Amino acid sequence: MSKAAYQPQVDKLLAAIGAHVNSAGVKLGVAHHDAISPILHWIDYLKGSELTGCCDDMLDGIRATAVEASGCIALGLIRPALFALRAQIDATIAWLFFKDHPIEWEFLLRTGDGFKSRNETIEFFGRYVERFTARFQILTAHRTRSVEQPYRLLSAHIHGQSALVVPTFQNLAAMVYPKGQCEEAIKIQADVVEYIGDIFLSYYASKWPALPDSILSAAKARVPNEKHSSLFS
């Protein structure tokens, strides 16, 4: 394809992005920031209290993927936003595991081998972190998110193994999704935030006196009073 033939596609894409941003971009960006806010509180706490000197930049990676998702949603580019949402979960479990495994982290950086899957890491926490599984079960039983496993939903979109999630773009401008679907992506972001927060809280709940009030109050609002002692023990 020649440059002259391709230029109209690019022009229409830019026009579609511009129209989307002008009509809804700021509103969507603000809504996304509100959805991601609990994880930003977690990152601030963890960077202030729980760094080990190993793979600390993975926490910055969670924040960066939040910025990425926000920008993509503001532009109407939902497909790359979904990749960024799943990356938030991947960065979370990677940091939680590798922060205490400097030898494995150095090996991964040196060879590119040794990545841990989400299931593998959650199973590791369940075996070695006291009461992790019990806490996670309590939080999951009293979730507000629409899906129990947002990671699975995001993976379905990313791998495109169903006609329901395979993109059908016929031109570049079609990559810009309407406002309603952008709002659905923000709802998925909220689900991801709750899921990540449940992982962090299951790991750190024994340190509840040091946790930010915003994190504690949100968990207590979801979980019945009679289960608070089990959750925070």
Side-chain angles (χ1 to χ4, degrees), residues 47-232:
K47 293 190 73 171
S49 304
E50 299 295 340
L51 296 184
T52 64
C54 180
C55 71
D56 295 342
D57 52 348
M58 293 300 290
L59 286 177
D60 293 327
I62 302 172
R63 194 188 299 271
T65 53
V67 172
E68 182 181 17
S70 181
C72 289
I73 291 172
L75 295 174
L77 304 176
I78 297 306
R79 289 278 299 169
L82 296 180
F83 281 74
L85 296 187
R86 198 179 80 156
Q88 293 168 17
I89 301 174
D90 287 328
T92 294
I93 61 175
W95 179 77
L96 275 176
F97 178 81
F98 285 110
K99 70 181 180 63
D100 297 317
H101 294 83
I103 294 175
E104 291 89 340
W105 179 245
E106 189 279 331
F107 177 79
L108 187 153
L109 295 179
R110 177 164 46 87
T111 68
D113 193 16
F115 289 97
K116 303 295 182 182
S117 70
R118 179 186 60 90
N119 287 341
E120 184 180 7
T121 309
I122 295 297
E123 289 174 4
F124 178 89
F125 297 154
R127 176 175 296 181
Y128 294 106
V129 178
E130 186 177 6
R131 295 192 52 75
F132 178 91
T133 299
R135 293 170 184 150
F136 195 72
Q137 288 174 344
I138 291 172
L139 291 166
T140 300
H142 300 284
R143 65 188 181 274
T144 64
R145 57 186 180 272
S146 58
V147 292
E148 180 176 343
Q149 291 281 4
Y151 191 89
R152 186 177 302 166
L153 172 65
L154 293 166
S155 295
H157 281 275
I158 289 168
H159 296 307
Q161 296 180 350
S162 165
L164 296 174
V165 295
V166 172
T168 57
F169 307 138
Q170 298 298 314
N171 53 68
L172 297 185
M175 295 167 56
V176 181
Y177 282 69
K179 177 185 175 183
Q181 287 177 273
C182 295
E183 291 170 339
E184 288 298 317
I186 293 173
K187 292 179 182 178
I188 298 174
Q189 173 69 88
D191 287 351
V192 168
V193 165
E194 183 177 275
Y195 180 72
I196 290 175
D198 287 357
I199 293 174
F200 280 143
L201 190 56
S202 298
Y203 195 101
Y204 286 110
S206 62
K207 298 183 177 182
W208 65 266
L211 296 178
D213 289 341
S214 59
I215 291 172
L216 293 176
S217 60
K220 290 177 179 179
R222 288 167 49 197
V223 177
N225 290 339
E226 62 270 19
K227 295 186 179 181
H228 288 181
S229 59
S230 297
L231 178 61
F232 296 109

